[in-house]
Amino acid sequence: MTIKVKVGDEVKEGDVVLTLETMKMENPIKASRSGKVREIKVQPGRFVNVGDPLIVIE
Amino acid sequence: MSLVDKFKELEEFREKSKLGGGQEAIEKQHRAGKLTARERIEKLLDPGSFVEIDSFVVHRCYDFGMEKRRVLGDAVVTGYGTINGRKVFVYAQDFTYIGGSLGEMHAKKITKVQDMALKAGVPIIGLNDSGGARIQEGINSLAGYGEIFYRNVMASGVIPQIIAIMGPCAGGAVYSPALADFIIMVRKTSYMFITGPKVVKAAIGEDVTFESLGGADAHAKLSGVAHFAVDNDEECINLIKKLLSYLPSNNMDDPPIVETGDPPDRMDEELNEMVPADPKKPYDVRDIINRVFDRGTFFEVHAQFAPNAVVGFARLNGRSVGVIANQPMVYAGCLDIDSSDKIARFVRTCDAFNIPLVTFVDVPGYLPGTKQEHGGVIRHGAKVIFAYSEATVPKLTVILRKAYGGGYIAMCSKHLGADFVFAWPTAEIAVMGPEGAIEIIHKNELMKAKTPEELKEITDRLVAEYRSKFANPYVAANMGYVDAVIMPKETRPMLIKTLEAMSTKREIQPRPPKRHANIPV
């Protein structure tokens, strides 16, 4: 997993905010809406489950 | 009684039979956002083509005051007509009379059209909207369900059976749709379950709503029971018509050929750019499907269920084909329990109805983990191999990128009887992925590494070596396991030519006689 933004960044809907690796595939995760990154809830190398919040955008 | 009176009597009966549960109940049905059984049939069939059967049938129950509640037609409208000029049999349950409940005579009306459809060799369409078994009629209701199920099974693989759930469908009633070929559910007004929220609460203490337990999305997404979820009755009926356009009338017939106006020799340059050379980069396989097949003809089935695989109908130069693909965008396109079920079921549906198969492969393998292993990924995965091996329709395969290990074999490889296997230059056909393979082959060399940096350096070198030597389409093409390596843009014309060549396909080797094969269900 690579995180492409940091807290405070402005992101636009559709921007790639992180890549998530499953089955050796690097899936780009896009911002669902525009806003400012308030919190990053994940770290590279950690496992996440379906439905887990990854990045909070306000 | 004079002749005039006799004719008038018939007229009166006819008028009466059209009312179902009466005007008030009809209005209630409309307020619930639902059309009535007759309105649904009217919208489904070509104007004026409907011929009704058994409109004067009534139940013969004398218990619980039922003798006073007798309505012509017994809560189901049955008959036949045409859809775009093609004959179909149809039944629509009428929720306005005793909740569309199914008793002895109601069931007899349904089994009569089931028998007629099978004899005529034309599709049957059921529009279900029923509270379930008519309790007042006791075990005669159960007998009715049993008779319907038996006919569903007898007709399976002979005529297409499409069932729309347009209201409640609970308990035993769910099994007739489950035995059919396709289920369509209407959001918010329909649900299917074996036991409802009340019993669920009483039996295991679980709180659940009708919608979350057995609504259209629950079944289209999670259970896979529904092939399609739609927003309303109108959408449901239009979808049935579209679905039917890809299917033949019966197993001895071919699906209709439709002039699509898309040139068979069209080459799409953009296809060359679709698959990233980097095997770690995902893409949407539907972008490829939409460019290869006749424009606008791809019709996805089970779109929400197991999205790591994509299945659906499309047209190649007007001919109906079944498309199966791994979806690299979801779980890297791996096979798992649900996607195996989805693929196997679709392959068998196509094979039963003379619809050739076109498979697109980009599969890293099977999803690992205890959830999968303990859930039986072995026996579910086996269904894919079974279904492809058993299928005798033309089978064409295009390997886009990864085709590793068991996944390679299962996805309609040459070894399972594919008639033609194409590979793109991006194909990586190998016994397993480079990283895994070198760990086994070069175990000793890797153990020599003293530092993590050194290990990485050796690994990278060996992976690159393996990749250039084995992760390509040419080793398989040298063996004849791949018939041709083609440019992505050539895919459409090549598939059309090959399909043309195989359109008269007959399995030459007779298969051994048997009662029936034993698919690992």
Side-chain angles (χ1 to χ4, degrees):
Chain A
M1 178 157 41
T2 13
I3 295 164
K4 310 247 181 201
V5 292
K6 43 187 202 305
V7 174
D9 282 2
E10 291 283 342
V11 292
K12 282 202 293 293
E13 187 185 328
D15 282 355
V16 176
V17 288
L18 61 91
T19 57
L20 189 66
E21 198 178 311
T22 19
M23 295 288 289
K24 293 178 194 158
M25 189 74 84
E26 292 163 359
N27 300 280
I29 306 298
K30 293 172 182 166
S32 50
R33 58 190 177 87
S34 305
K36 195 184 209 173
V37 177
R38 195 175 74 193
E39 194 186 348
I40 293 168
K41 293 194 164 260
V42 288
Q43 286 121 41
R46 287 278 178 85
F47 278 93
V48 291
N49 291 309
V50 175
D52 281 356
L54 305 171
I55 288 177
V56 182
I57 298 166
E58 59 181 6
Chain B
M1 208 187 241
S2 73
L3 209 49
V4 175
D5 287 340
K6 278 178 189 289
F7 291 167
K8 212 175 128 208
E9 187 182 28
L10 172 62
E11 263 324 302
E12 279 166 14
F13 275 138
R14 278 184 170 175
E15 280 310 307
K16 234 169 146 182
S17 74
K18 294 212 163 66
L19 275 176
Q23 200 53 44
E24 206 174 302
I26 290 173
E27 276 161 29
K28 207 171 155 198
Q29 176 89 351
H30 285 158
R31 278 199 302 277
K34 302 198 289 186
L35 298 171
T36 65
R38 284 181 191 281
E39 288 165 344
R40 285 167 177 168
I41 289 178
E42 204 171 295
K43 285 192 189 291
L44 178 68
L45 301 180
D46 296 337
S49 71
F50 181 53
V51 178
E52 192 171 352
I53 306 167
D54 284 343
S55 57
F56 297 163
V57 163
V58 290
H59 71 71
R60 32 181 209 163
C61 179
Y62 290 88
D63 297 314
F64 312 107
M66 282 293 283
E67 64 277 8
K68 292 189 210 90
R69 299 176 72 190
R70 194 164 274 145
V71 160
L72 295 180
D74 206 33
V76 62
V77 183
T78 62
Y80 57 92
T82 58
I83 293 177
N84 295 323
R86 297 169 71 202
K87 240 183 309 168
V88 295
F89 279 79
V90 62
Y91 66 86
Q93 290 177 310
D94 179 3
F95 192 74
T96 63
Y97 170 59
I98 342 186
S101 61
L102 181 142
E104 177 201 12
M105 298 309 282
H106 178 125
K108 278 203 157 69
K109 284 184 67 173
I110 295 177
T111 54
K112 190 189 267 185
V113 279
Q114 284 182 302
D115 289 338
M116 289 176 86
L118 186 56
K119 278 187 208 163
V122 300
I124 183 160
I125 296 161
L127 308 176
N128 287 21
D129 189 358
S130 161
R134 193 174 295 161
I135 308 300
Q136 295 89 335
E137 294 196 37
I139 54 165
N140 286 329
S141 304
L142 298 187
Y145 279 121
E147 299 280 341
I148 294 169
F149 300 164
Y150 182 80
R151 283 164 179 79
N152 285 134
V153 176
M154 291 305 116
S156 182
V158 185
I159 52 171
Q161 303 181 76
I162 301 170
I163 298 193
I165 314 298
M166 308 178 83
C169 183
V174 300
Y175 284 115
S176 174
L179 293 164
D181 298 302
F182 294 100
I183 295 181
I184 303 138
M185 287 185 75
V186 183
R187 289 191 182 96
K188 294 202 176 80
T189 52
S190 81
Y191 51 82
M192 291 177 84
F193 37 65
I194 301 286
T195 46
K198 233 163 127 183
V199 179
V200 170
K201 176 75 181 164
I204 59 167
E206 206 176 45
D207 276 307
V208 71
T209 63
F210 281 73
E211 192 71 17
S212 68
L213 180 65
D217 285 312
H219 285 307
K221 241 184 228 170
L222 304 174
S223 72
V225 166
H227 299 82
F228 306 95
V230 295
D231 284 332
N232 51 50
D233 282 13
E234 206 112 353
E235 210 180 293
C236 177
I237 282 159
N238 290 336
L239 190 136
I240 295 171
K241 293 184 195 176
K242 188 167 182 190
L243 176 58
L244 212 55
S245 75
Y246 291 95
L247 302 173
S249 290
N250 60 63
N251 63 330
M252 307 292 279
D253 197 13
D254 284 322
I257 295 177
V258 172
E259 183 51 62
T260 60
D262 196 354
D265 54 359
R266 174 173 64 80
M267 289 202 202
D268 193 325
E269 296 284 340
E270 276 178 62
L271 274 176
N272 288 347
E273 313 290 323
M274 302 255 76
V275 172
D278 181 354
K280 283 179 181 294
K281 293 275 176 285
Y283 59 92
D284 189 344
V285 77
R286 287 170 302 189
D287 292 340
I288 292 173
I289 293 170
N290 281 321
R291 285 185 153 80
V292 168
F293 296 94
D294 295 358
R295 273 190 206 99
T297 62
F298 180 54
F299 176 54
E300 198 170 350
V301 175
H302 259 155
Q304 292 172 274
F305 177 62
N308 42 332
V310 172
V311 304
F313 297 105
R315 295 190 180 282
L316 265 182
N317 202 20
R319 271 179 212 275
S320 184
V321 294
V323 184
I324 302 100
N326 308 113
Q327 173 59 288
M329 220 170 76
V330 183
Y331 285 123
C334 69
L335 290 167
D336 62 354
I337 292 171
D338 284 348
S339 62
S340 295
D341 261 359
K342 170 170 161 173
I343 291 171
R345 173 71 176 164
F346 187 71
V347 166
R348 284 168 65 86
T349 302
C350 291
D351 187 50
F353 293 116
N354 304 318
I355 301 170
L357 301 168
V358 183
T359 305
F360 292 91
V361 187
D362 189 345
V363 64
Y366 285 86
L367 186 65
T370 48
K371 214 170 156 189
Q372 287 293 312
E373 296 291 355
H374 296 172
V377 69
I378 294 175
R379 65 188 172 87
H380 292 289
K383 294 178 202 172
V384 177
I385 297 170
F386 204 106
Y388 271 125
S389 302
E390 194 186 36
T392 56
V393 289
K395 295 186 278 195
L396 314 182
T397 303
V398 184
I399 301 175
L400 305 174
R401 195 167 59 178
K402 289 172 218 167
Y404 287 135
Y408 155 71
I409 306 170
M411 291 304 292
C412 205
S413 62
K414 198 79 188 164
H415 324 293
L416 303 189
D419 295 298
F420 216 100
V421 179
F422 297 100
W424 286 10
T426 41
E428 304 176 5
I429 308 162
V431 67
M432 63 193 294
E435 292 83 3
I438 64 144
E439 267 176 42
I440 294 164
I441 300 168
H442 300 292
K443 195 175 161 201
N444 293 337
E445 200 172 341
L446 290 168
M447 269 162 56
K448 281 185 209 146
K450 291 184 190 70
T451 61
E453 292 76 36
E454 201 182 333
L455 181 66
K456 191 179 177 303
E457 191 201 299
I458 300 173
T459 307
D460 286 352
R461 177 170 54 80
L462 292 173
V463 164
E465 219 170 78
Y466 183 94
R467 188 173 287 288
S468 70
K469 215 163 168 188
F470 299 105
N472 59 55
Y474 302 107
V475 179
N478 290 156
M479 294 301 300
Y481 301 156
V482 162
D483 296 288
V485 183
I486 57 170
M487 284 297 288
K489 66 172 181 180
E490 296 165 342
T491 306
R492 174 179 166 80
M494 288 303 280
L495 284 177
I496 289 173
K497 276 184 207 160
T498 317
L499 187 63
E500 194 56 49
M502 295 313 296
S503 63
T504 49
K505 178 181 175 183
R506 278 174 296 178
E507 284 286 321
I508 297 161
Q509 250 184 343
R511 296 178 168 211
K514 53 179 114 177
R515 286 174 60 82
H516 59 72
N518 195 10
I519 188 165
V521 286

